[in-house]
Amino acid sequence: MPNSRSRARRRWISRKRSFRRRWPVYVMLLIFCATALAIVVLVLIDIETPPRAAQAQQRRPVPAAIR
């Protein structure tokens, strides 16, 4: 009967082999998460800043005829 140490070692080796087979999946998952995070950051930045048209209207001086 094998002792627990050798059983744990076999389990680790099996896990290591499966990681070697599946590393492209992990890389794609990492790229997907980074892209999603970047999109969320860009959307949040865009929501916080007022639209440029509104900024441009605020900067224009009021014509003398309207005053």
Side-chain angles (χ1 to χ4, degrees):
M1 180 167 157
N3 59 16
S4 62
R5 207 180 246 182
S6 65
R7 192 178 302 153
R9 183 170 168 79
R10 272 188 271 131
R11 200 176 296 135
W12 163 246
I13 288 170
S14 171
R15 231 182 261 150
K16 205 160 76 171
R17 282 187 188 144
S18 96
F19 176 75
R20 284 182 185 158
R21 274 193 308 254
R22 296 180 53 124
W23 70 266
V25 175
Y26 297 130
V27 169
M28 290 302 294
L29 188 63
L30 183 66
I31 290 171
F32 177 75
C33 289
T35 305
L37 182 66
I39 289 172
V40 167
V41 167
L42 288 174
V43 166
L44 287 176
I45 288 173
D46 193 39
I47 288 173
E48 289 175 0
T49 57
R52 290 186 179 155
Q55 286 179 347
Q57 287 176 355
Q58 289 172 0
R59 283 193 223 135
R60 290 184 192 145
V62 179
I66 298 176
R67 283 189 236 164

